[in-house]
Amino acid sequence: MNMLASSALPSVAASPHAGQLGSVSHVMLKVMLALAPATACGFWYFGWPAFNLWLVTVLAALAGEALCLRLMAKPVVPTLLDGSALLTGWLLAVSLPPWAPWWLGVIGGLFATVIGKQVFGGIGCNLFNPAMVARVALLVSFPVVMTGWVAPIGLTGAQAPGWLESLQLTFGGSVPDAYTSASLLGQAKTELSRGVSLLQTFANGLPVSWSGMRPGSLGETAVLLIAAGGIAMMLMGLITWHIPVSMLLAIAIPAAIGHAVNPARYLDAGAHVLSGGAMLGAFFIATDYVTSPSSRGGQLVFGAGCGLLTWVIRTYGGYPEGVAFAVLLMNALTPVIDRAIKPRVYGRNWRGQPIAPRKEN
Amino acid sequence: MGILERLNGGRWGVHPHDDHKRPAADTPLRVMPLPAKLCVPLLQHVGAPAKPVVAVGDSVLRGQLIAAAQGAVSAPVHAPSSGVVTAIGPVTAPHPSGLPFDAITITLDGEDRALEAAGVDDPLALEPAEVTRRIADAGIVGLGGATFPSAPKAQLGRKLEVQTLVINGGECEPYLSSDDSVMRHRADDVIDGVRILMHAVGARTALVGIEDNKPEAIAAMREAARAFAAIRICPVPARYPMGSDRQLVEVLTGKQVPAGARTASIGVLVNNVSTCAAIHRALRHGEALYRRIVTVNGGAVAAPGNVLAPVGVLVEDLLAFVGLKEAPARLVMGGPMMGLALPHAQVPTVKACGGVLALTAAEIARPAPSACIRCGSCVKACPMGLQPLEIAARVRAGDYDGAASLQLDDCLACGCCAYVCPSNLPLVQSFQHAKGTLWARAQQKKRNALTRELADARRERLERDARERAEAAAKRKAARAAQQASAAAPGGQEMPS
Amino acid sequence: MDLALWRERIVYQGGLLALSTFLTSAALVLANRATVSAIEQAAQDDLKQSLTQVLPEGMADNDLLADALEVADTGGRKVNVYRGRKAGQFSAAVFEYRARGYAGDIVILLGVDPAGAVTGVRVLRHSETPGLGDKIEAAKSDWIHAFEQKSLAGMPLASWAVKKDGGVFDQFAGATITPRAVVKAVREGLQFYAAHQAEISEAAR
Amino acid sequence: MLVPVVILTLLGLMLGLMLGYAARVFAVEGNEVAAEIAAMMPGTNCGQCGLAGCGAAADALVAGAAPATVCPGGGAPLAQAIAAKLGLTLDLGGLADQGPKIAEVQEDICIGCARCLKGCPTDAIVGASKQIHGVLHQACTGCGACVTECPTGAIGLRPLPQTLQDWNWASPSFA
Amino acid sequence: MSTDSMGRLWRDGLWDQNVVFVQLLAMCPTMAVTTSGTNGLGMGLATTAVLVVSNMLIASIRDFVSSQVRIPVFIVVIATLVTLVDMSLNAWLHGLHKVLGLFIALIVVNCAILGRAEAFASKNGVLASAVDGLAMGLGFTFALTLMGLVRELLGAGTLFSQASLLLGPAFSFMEVTVLPGYTGVLMMILPPGGFLVLGFLLAGRRLIEQRISRRACAGGPAQSACSA
């Protein structure tokens, strides 16, 4: 019975002796799959420059992660392979103006992984969503470039830059004025600040559609595909409905109320939900595991906070778009929410005291 | 489950996609031939260890009492076969630590001579107290894994006027099918045991919860229980850990057991189906609990299946009987979710051992742990509604009190969290470590209180002694002075100046 | 007398703090006396210096500070108007005006000649984003000089706006609100002047 | 000009008197932290720390004159508790791998002189003169007072044997 | 006082106990005024002046002050001092006041000054306190100037811009435009940039400390002391 020689039993380990064999890379890969259709659609709308920027941003994020790991003498390749830095770079890229110059993507990607993530201790330790940290840092640092939107002219359209031309656009000079355009929220904010009522500004109807053929970042135009990707993530069990639904509702409800009260001052719920980063934020950003609460109740509060703050910032703040700020603000509250709202433990009430026994009769 | 909980994704537990129960569960029950020796442990239950009543060199018969119960919560141990007691002392326990515990080693004579057994024709006519006594004498303990002696449990149920018995046929651990086997092949025994137990406890109804992945067992048990209206067979969804008493009670009765309390506090008593079968054999046939059905399974086993084996058989012998097709990478007593890894194969089985697994390297392979990404899978999976990730973070930081404040005490160690964790974190081990540390601290505190008391008592005693001595000395001195005074009074002039 | 013992007495502690406050407040009072006139003088010099920035050399030969007039604008706000005279003749008006910028009020000093043309504009106080909105400062950019010689009469009211809104003034990339506010302040300042021109120049006599 | 000076002076006087009064009223008697720490200790005043009893050790801890590992009887758990209480960083190096110990009488050397009985602060040693002594495991703190008392060197400290009951999983290594 | 302890004071003030980088005191002015090297320098020098005088004053009255009322007494002294400086600068050095005026009011709330009064001046003699104030103040100046330079460089691409306004036209050579045409990372001049730069400078200081102790270990005889 030498098969049972004790040397053949190297591992005396704690239970369980079985597992699902999942891994962090699987999770990240699935999220990226869910994000891919919307991104591809964005490339289709905005052409090669958008792809260039995406590539540069993702590479910069990976480089930032690798650099930090190297400096901290941690294993580089296995950590890069978990896909989190790639996903961070990707999420950042789809929230940038698609025709932004290369250095914006590089600075953003580095900022996201170095300062947004590794400075806090790497994956799982960051307090704030790294992609949004980078986006806000870029917005605050380079407001001009970060608000230079272009209209979707397609990958193959007549006006669309070819591949070589796109390199020139991304790595060379700036975007020609002829292409620039304003996003819906930006236009609304500008006109309102001039004292022009929304009714007048959008007399020909709101430029909102499910197809997303309008100026904006990759992640805010193809809202339908974003939502589809989000629902796919729910079906795969990656996220639950709590954060997306509460966030979208918390944007839509105040928007609907405001619009009902004064349509000249407040955009309607549809415009709010379908424009800007609302969809991307609700399904891909706010649901970031690391920076959102872990309990269901906490997630509802978190999502609602993100949504409400988004609406408040869009409506009353200085910037036209507020998803990134809202998510970061709520990220800061996540530990508090986690502390305050815990799932009810079996056999205990919500406050953690044992429940009173009820006799079976 | 309330609407709120349902909306909140109230599906606790995990649903192993491959439970590895078949084909082992479908193979016919085999009886293991007698090995050369058995090591029957003295502590196979919760409570005080049994006290040997035989000496080295004694001959024993099958069913003979070899160690008697000590105290209220304890259980006797019987010889599983005939032979000679060759040692009473430490053997390696079936425990990852590899530490020893005491056992009676019997070298078998192979004749399997039995003690005359005295069964009762109609146990239901006996006084409940007499039924309980016979259960106690047969050394029956909870065979689901909790190993609480059944007799005191029944007494407690009677005292608290429990009306409902929940009979646990959950057997939710992957690989295991011993309870399944008992229900399939001995359904009548189980139902009879349930009736006897109901009589002993005074319960009015019994709910038998069986996971719906055991259709044969459900059919057999339905058939056996047809005649008894008080016994209901309730299929429950197959989900781990359905076999945990708290979860099964909630599914069957809709009520939760208060934290830190027993199920009896809500008027429910939970017993395992194998325990019921054992009760049947003890009462009807006078047979003590010295053998049971053990599932031997795992990728390394050549002929997996259920084996009727004596208690105290060495794992080594059990595996030899079923054969190994490759060297196992890990031996586990119990199921893969909560079972204990064995240090080696020379360890005895115990009464509550429902399975022995010989797992291959491929079966236990798990990627190296990576950082927690707070995905919340563990929160979703935890059947107790705990937040394993938060507890683990505190344990990792050495904040055991913080972990305790997140109700670490309520953790069942069921392993659901570790099972689903995409980062493969050693969650269960960290919780076990924290629980052990907290326990050790509590012990130390008690010890401190004791030693402080002793030290204070000693100090007081020493002070009292000193005082008494001083008083005695003073008294003596006074007496002497008085004596001298009286002696000197007549002739004071003689005093030296 | 033992100092250590005294220090522990409540009376000593009260007295000590009283003495400290007495000495320090007395020192402050004395210092205030000594400096108040110099400080006032310096503030006047400052004001005078900024006044001269919006009034080109030689436009006035009087002491503008001595010739101030309080005028209420349409909003009921009191505006201090300093009047310049050349050879006794009303030659310019200088006053503060404000408009809401991106972050708080932007306060400008506006110089106007009798014809209603701008002689100069300077931003006195603002809290706009540094590096972006602060190009309205003369030290950072020439932008503020674009107003010089412009008047309400010289061009249509619609042209008194940034280019984005169809006007003639540049906005800076990325910041529209700040220049828009400055343009608005100048425009409204000119309107204020036009509305009260008579009063301002009248009383100058 | 005189008014603000007078007002400020009076204010200073008043506030000064109030502060002085408050300092007297709210003065803290003794050191509560030291008392709490003394309560956490074994309380046997065994003197193994080299200080005059547990109270003195607690005072030394509060004053910063002793490390959190000062009490050998309390072991690592006590050191951790003290460090947490006082916010100290803990270096368990001095305590590492020792674990709890108890006294053990070597029966073949013991002459039954009963000197150790008198030295034990917790009466953990039983026996009478001319009888072999035994140690009560529950009561022994492993302070070692008896070791120095024993004229024949029959008493030594040995680590408490590990049992199934007090065995614990090691803290797992996280990634 | 021995030269040894003098050296200790200097080293503490400039590096070992640096107000900003080690004690993390005076965060309010540190964050608020370090938008450029010039601002940092100005604030640092103004603070140093107040710190030296306040330390000396407090050290000279320390025997008379009861512990129960020491904090209000110190605060009154410091606030008065700052106000006096503010008034006299405004009256007689008005040009300088225009540049520094903003900072001087901030000095009142600078806890580093009260901190030194409490931790050092109330326990030491006048001379030592003056040295301590000077060393601490210069350390503070060094930290603020460094932060200001880094933020200015990243945020605007210049160094010591407008230094001549603070120090006089003779110092206009200090004004450097490092990167002409550089648009600047605006955030560095905004508050978040202050926190970021401070964080990285703190990390940098630790790195230097580590290097120093490692080098000391490699060369020194006391090997055992280095393992920790």
Side-chain angles (χ1 to χ4, degrees):
Chain A
M1 212 60 245
N2 57 358
M3 274 195 203
L4 283 174
S6 58
S7 61
L9 287 177
S11 52
V12 174
S15 58
H17 311 288
Q20 238 167 17
L21 292 184
S23 70
V24 176
S25 358
H26 281 130
V27 175
M28 298 294 166
L29 195 67
K30 285 180 192 165
V31 177
M32 286 185 245
L33 274 180
L35 190 55
T39 313
C41 176
F43 293 156
W44 181 255
Y45 287 165
F46 296 103
W48 284 108
F51 175 76
N52 296 341
L53 183 70
W54 176 85
L55 194 65
V56 164
T57 310
V58 165
L59 288 179
L62 288 172
E65 178 111 331
L67 179 78
C68 288
L69 292 169
R70 186 74 194 275
L71 285 176
M72 293 188 280
K74 287 184 188 173
V76 175
V77 176
T79 314
L80 282 188
L81 284 181
D82 72 19
S84 60
L86 179 61
L87 182 61
T88 295
W90 192 330
L91 284 172
L92 173 64
V94 297
S95 68
L96 295 179
W99 284 25
W102 65 275
W103 52 263
L104 196 73
V106 169
I107 294 177
L110 289 174
F111 202 92
T113 44
V114 175
I115 290 175
K117 184 174 165 196
Q118 289 295 339
V119 157
F120 289 88
I123 183 168
C125 302
N126 47 303
L127 198 55
F128 299 99
N129 185 311
M132 288 304 102
V133 167
R135 195 194 127 80
V136 164
L138 291 177
L139 182 64
V140 173
S141 297
F142 311 106
V144 183
V145 190
M146 282 296 287
T147 48
W149 306 107
V150 296
I153 51 176
L155 184 65
T156 55
Q159 286 176 297
W163 185 64
L164 279 175
E165 219 180 317
S166 81
L167 291 181
Q168 174 107 40
L169 267 175
T170 310
F171 296 97
S174 53
V175 180
D177 270 355
Y179 289 112
T180 59
S181 178
S183 66
L184 185 158
L185 294 170
Q187 198 184 353
K189 174 122 288 178
T190 310
E191 297 303 307
L192 274 176
S193 71
R194 277 180 61 196
V196 180
S197 94
L198 291 177
L199 296 175
Q200 212 173 330
T201 310
F202 300 113
N204 302 326
L206 286 169
V208 165
S209 70
W210 285 95
S211 78
M213 285 294 273
R214 56 198 163 77
S217 67
L218 300 189
E220 59 184 80
T221 46
V223 279
L224 199 61
L225 287 171
I226 293 279
I231 289 164
M233 286 204 295
M234 285 186 202
L235 294 179
M236 286 190 279
L238 290 173
I239 59 172
T240 57
W241 58 269
H242 300 79
I243 290 178
V245 169
S246 62
M247 176 164 171
L248 291 176
L249 279 181
I251 298 179
I253 292 172
I257 295 171
H259 188 70
V261 172
N262 184 2
R265 171 72 182 82
Y266 300 100
L267 283 168
D268 65 20
H272 268 289
V273 170
L274 293 179
S275 63
M279 280 289 179
L280 185 76
F283 286 105
F284 286 89
I285 306 286
T287 54
D288 172 30
Y289 292 145
V290 179
T291 55
S292 62
S294 55
S295 70
R296 309 266 177 270
Q299 289 177 348
L300 285 176
V301 172
F302 177 83
C306 288
L308 191 66
L309 281 174
T310 300
W311 181 78
V312 168
I313 294 170
R314 282 178 177 182
T315 309
Y316 303 110
Y319 287 96
E321 172 57 311
V323 170
F325 293 104
V327 170
L328 290 182
L329 285 171
M330 291 310 290
N331 283 165
L333 279 183
T334 293
V336 181
I337 295 175
D338 262 339
R339 185 171 268 259
I341 305 177
K342 293 174 184 151
R344 192 177 68 82
V345 173
Y346 180 103
R348 294 181 185 271
N349 60 18
W350 288 102
R351 273 170 303 158
Q353 263 87 46
I355 54 174
R358 268 194 309 144
K359 276 256 184 174
E360 170 87 342
N361 283 314
Chain B
M1 198 185 303
I3 181 83
L4 189 67
E5 311 238 314
R6 195 174 293 260
L7 264 181
N8 280 340
R11 282 187 70 87
W12 44 260
V14 295
H15 201 131
H17 47 282
D18 179 6
D19 58 15
H20 295 97
K21 282 182 189 284
R22 294 160 205 267
D26 298 329
T27 52
L29 179 65
R30 282 169 288 173
V31 179
M32 182 177 168
L34 288 175
K37 69 165 183 178
L38 297 171
C39 298
V40 189
L42 295 176
L43 182 61
Q44 305 188 47
H45 49 261
V46 173
K51 189 176 181 185
V53 294
V54 290
V56 173
D58 288 0
S59 286
V60 293
L61 299 176
R62 169 155 63 85
Q64 182 182 333
L65 182 75
I66 52 174
Q70 269 196 119
V73 179
S74 185
V77 175
H78 301 82
S81 187
S82 62
V84 178
V85 175
T86 47
I88 300 177
V91 299
T92 307
H95 189 268
S97 65
L99 289 169
F101 69 162
D102 286 335
I104 298 177
T105 304
I106 305 171
T107 302
L108 301 187
D109 53 21
E111 293 166 26
D112 202 24
R113 285 168 291 131
L115 202 68
E116 186 100 9
V120 188
D121 285 339
D122 187 7
L124 300 181
L126 291 175
E127 277 294 303
E130 174 62 14
V131 176
T132 312
R133 195 186 61 75
R134 280 170 182 260
I135 292 176
D137 285 349
I140 295 175
V141 302
L143 296 185
T147 68
F148 193 83
S150 299
K153 189 171 177 175
Q155 274 168 354
L156 179 76
R158 187 147 198 103
K159 207 173 91 191
L160 294 176
E161 294 173 353
V162 162
Q163 298 297 314
T164 310
L165 282 188
V166 161
I167 306 302
N168 190 341
E171 195 165 55
C172 49
E173 282 256 18
Y175 290 95
L176 300 192
S177 56
S178 67
D179 289 348
D180 188 14
S181 173
V182 167
M183 288 188 285
R184 284 197 210 188
H185 302 120
R186 297 178 174 178
D188 289 324
D189 292 6
V190 175
I191 296 297
D192 189 53
V194 173
R195 292 179 62 219
I196 296 169
L197 196 57
M198 285 170 73
H199 175 61
V201 173
R204 270 186 286 179
T205 50
L207 306 171
V208 186
I210 307 173
E211 276 191 326
D212 57 12
N213 59 355
K214 306 177 188 50
E216 301 88 347
I218 293 173
M221 291 288 283
R222 280 220 164 112
E223 183 58 38
R226 191 184 298 279
F228 311 105
I231 302 177
R232 277 197 0 243
I233 309 295
C234 313
V236 293
R239 199 196 311 160
Y240 179 85
M242 191 56 86
S244 156
D245 54 0
R246 280 159 198 268
Q247 275 58 41
L248 189 64
V249 164
E250 189 186 10
V251 170
L252 290 179
T253 68
K255 289 189 301 193
Q256 294 194 340
V257 184
R262 296 183 196 281
T263 58
S265 70
I266 60 165
V268 179
L269 215 56
V270 183
N271 277 280
N272 182 268
V273 286
S274 294
T275 315
C276 293
I279 288 171
H280 157 83
R281 296 192 74 75
L283 270 289
R284 296 271 181 193
H285 307 293
E287 182 186 306
L289 176 59
Y290 53 73
R291 58 183 171 183
R292 65 160 298 154
I293 297 176
V294 179
T295 306
V296 189
N297 206 343
V301 175
N306 286 300
V307 178
L308 182 65
V311 166
V313 64
L314 294 183
V315 166
E316 188 174 47
D317 296 332
L318 199 55
L319 290 175
F321 171 61
V322 294
L324 290 176
K325 53 186 180 189
E326 62 179 285
R330 191 178 292 165
L331 295 178
V332 174
M333 183 166 291
M337 298 298 283
M338 291 183 75
L340 297 170
L342 301 179
H344 49 72
Q346 288 88 37
V347 296
T349 63
V350 291
K351 290 172 183 174
C353 163
V356 169
L357 307 180
L359 300 171
T360 62
E363 283 172 299
I364 58 168
R366 301 215 67 183
S370 54
C372 173
I373 54 168
R374 293 177 46 89
C375 67
S377 306
C378 52
V379 181
K380 257 189 273 181
C382 181
M384 296 304 285
L386 302 173
Q387 292 176 291
L389 79 168
E390 299 286 350
I391 301 177
R394 282 166 182 68
V395 174
R396 187 180 180 180
D399 178 13
Y400 300 107
D401 295 323
S405 73
L406 292 170
Q407 271 91 38
L408 174 64
D409 274 355
D410 291 349
C411 168
L412 304 170
C414 68
C416 287
C417 49
Y419 183 89
V420 297
C421 180
S423 299
N424 300 300
L425 293 172
L427 295 169
V428 175
Q429 187 179 340
S430 75
F431 300 159
Q432 301 281 47
H433 163 72
K435 283 183 196 171
T437 308
L438 286 167
W439 183 82
R441 281 188 189 174
Q443 292 299 109
Q444 185 62 42
K445 210 170 185 178
K446 272 189 211 159
R447 236 178 113 91
N448 277 356
L450 173 74
T451 53
R452 185 192 306 275
E453 221 169 83
L454 287 170
D456 288 347
R458 176 170 183 269
R459 199 161 33 243
E460 243 167 62
R461 195 190 67 223
L462 291 180
E463 278 167 14
R464 199 177 53 236
D465 286 357
R467 205 170 47 239
E468 279 167 6
R469 256 201 308 278
E471 277 168 15
K475 214 178 273 174
R476 267 201 308 278
K477 204 171 164 191
R480 209 170 34 239
Q483 208 175 3
Q484 278 178 0
S486 62
Q493 295 91 336
E494 287 171 38
M495 283 274 285
S497 54
Chain C
M1 184 171 58
D2 193 352
L3 191 62
L5 277 179
W6 267 101
R7 279 202 307 242
E8 293 308 311
R9 296 197 174 178
I10 294 181
V11 176
Y12 177 87
Q13 291 153 8
L16 178 71
L17 195 53
L19 185 68
S20 311
T21 46
F22 171 75
L23 289 177
T24 52
S25 55
L28 285 177
V29 164
L30 292 179
N32 189 38
R33 279 215 162 156
T35 58
V36 66
S37 58
I39 290 174
E40 223 159 71
Q41 183 61 42
Q44 295 232 333
D45 288 348
D46 280 354
L47 186 56
K48 207 177 280 178
Q49 204 201 338
S50 40
L51 290 181
T52 56
Q53 279 186 358
V54 296
L55 278 190
E57 196 74 27
M59 280 222 25
D61 54 11
N62 64 328
D63 178 9
L64 276 79
L65 293 180
D67 199 357
L69 173 75
E70 214 174 64
V71 182
D73 73 357
T74 42
R77 196 167 49 180
K78 296 266 196 294
V79 180
N80 235 343
V81 182
Y82 304 99
R83 289 162 299 182
R85 276 179 284 181
K86 194 164 186 184
Q89 203 73 5
F90 172 71
S91 64
V94 180
F95 51 91
E96 283 183 14
Y97 223 78
R98 60 182 65 207
R100 173 127 188 101
Y102 175 68
D105 275 356
I106 300 175
V107 180
I108 61 165
L109 191 68
L110 178 65
V112 192
D113 71 7
V118 176
T119 59
V121 184
R122 286 295 179 278
V123 174
L124 292 183
R125 291 185 294 279
H126 74 88
S127 21
E128 301 303 285
T129 317
L132 201 65
D134 62 359
K135 296 201 182 79
I136 55 178
E137 291 172 29
K140 300 251 165 83
S141 158
D142 286 339
W143 180 82
I144 200 79
H145 297 295
F147 291 102
E148 282 159 25
Q149 306 310 323
K150 300 270 193 316
S151 67
L152 287 178
M155 56 189 189
L157 200 61
S159 303
W160 276 93
V162 293
K163 282 181 177 160
K164 197 170 182 178
D165 300 343
V168 299
F169 300 100
D170 284 328
Q171 63 264 13
F172 345 110
T176 326
I177 297 170
T178 306
R180 194 184 275 152
V182 177
V183 172
K184 182 169 174 242
V186 175
R187 187 184 65 217
E188 287 179 1
L190 290 177
Q191 283 166 341
F192 160 80
Y193 174 75
H196 299 91
Q197 188 173 14
E199 191 184 339
I200 292 168
S201 54
E202 182 74 25
R205 314 251 155 221
Chain D
M1 282 303 187
L2 205 63
V3 180
V5 175
V6 171
I7 289 177
L8 276 172
T9 308
L10 285 179
L11 208 60
L13 182 66
M14 241 164 57
L15 291 174
L17 290 174
M18 272 163 64
L19 278 174
Y21 182 67
R24 200 158 290 183
V25 173
F26 300 121
V28 181
E29 285 293 333
N31 197 330
E32 290 167 10
V33 184
E36 275 178 57
I37 288 177
M40 286 152 66
M41 291 185 154
T44 52
N45 296 326
C46 68
Q48 223 185 331
C49 53
L51 295 159
C54 296
D59 289 342
L61 276 164
V62 171
T69 52
V70 66
C71 178
L78 177 66
Q80 278 161 349
I82 291 173
K85 179 105 214 156
L86 294 175
L88 302 172
T89 49
L90 190 57
D91 177 18
L92 280 176
L95 284 170
D97 301 325
Q98 289 190 349
K101 285 185 171 174
I102 55 162
E104 187 185 42
V105 179
Q106 272 179 281
E107 298 176 1
D108 45 349
I109 313 180
C110 175
I111 53 169
C113 67
R115 278 191 215 176
C116 53
L117 271 65
K118 297 192 193 88
C120 178
T122 55
D123 291 335
I125 306 180
V126 290
S129 89
K130 305 280 154 91
Q131 305 271 314
I132 290 169
H133 307 325
V135 178
L136 296 175
H137 284 198
Q138 269 305 307
C140 177
T141 60
C143 70
C146 48
V147 177
T148 46
E149 295 284 342
C150 184
T152 60
I155 301 186
L157 290 180
R158 67 176 168 101
L160 261 177
Q162 185 148 60
T163 64
L164 275 180
Q165 281 69 42
D166 58 27
W167 182 84
N168 190 15
W169 283 101
S171 182
S173 61
F174 287 86
Chain E
M1 180 179 293
S2 68
T3 44
D4 208 33
S5 59
M6 275 293 184
R8 181 77 250 158
L9 285 182
W10 281 106
R11 227 179 26 246
D12 276 350
L14 292 174
W15 185 259
D16 288 350
Q17 294 293 322
N18 189 291
V19 174
V20 174
F21 292 148
V22 179
Q23 303 186 49
L24 291 178
L25 285 176
M27 284 297 110
C28 161
T30 304
M31 290 300 157
V33 305
T34 56
T35 50
S36 75
T38 309
N39 281 359
L41 185 64
M43 181 68 184
L45 292 177
T47 307
T48 306
V50 174
L51 194 51
V52 171
V53 181
S54 83
N55 258 12
M56 288 168 67
L57 258 180
I58 300 233
S60 58
I61 62 167
R62 69 183 201 276
D63 285 340
F64 303 98
V65 180
S66 348
S67 66
Q68 290 86 345
V69 293
R70 69 187 190 284
I71 301 274
V73 169
F74 293 167
I75 290 181
V76 164
V77 169
I78 293 168
T80 305
L81 212 54
V82 172
T83 314
L84 288 178
V85 170
D86 186 42
M87 282 175 169
S88 19
L89 274 187
N90 199 354
W92 298 306
L93 290 167
H94 189 68
L96 195 56
H97 185 265
K98 271 206 273 189
V99 183
L100 285 182
L102 176 72
F103 313 139
I104 287 176
L106 276 176
I107 297 176
V108 178
V109 297
N110 189 332
C111 50
I113 299 191
L114 184 63
R116 288 328 287 173
E118 172 81 2
F120 194 92
S122 62
K123 296 172 189 149
N124 289 280
V126 177
L127 179 63
S129 298
V131 173
D132 176 74
L134 192 59
M136 284 288 161
L138 289 181
F140 184 64
T141 310
F142 157 69
L144 256 60
T145 311
L146 187 62
M147 268 189 73
L149 286 177
V150 175
R151 289 178 69 182
E152 186 183 352
L153 181 65
L154 293 172
T158 59
L159 289 177
F160 285 119
S161 70
Q162 298 179 317
S164 51
L165 282 184
L166 175 70
L167 303 168
F171 288 87
S172 58
F173 69 90
M174 283 169 66
E175 302 175 15
V176 184
T177 303
V178 181
L179 301 163
Y182 174 70
T183 49
V185 182
L186 205 52
M187 189 177 65
M188 286 303 163
I189 298 181
L190 298 175
F195 286 98
L196 275 179
V197 169
L198 179 64
F200 277 100
L201 288 179
L202 288 178
R205 187 192 174 276
R206 287 198 57 169
L207 211 62
I208 295 173
E209 285 282 285
Q210 267 179 12
R211 289 266 160 85
I212 291 175
S213 65
R214 208 174 305 151
R215 195 172 310 150
C217 282
Q223 292 287 342
S224 59
C226 301
S227 56

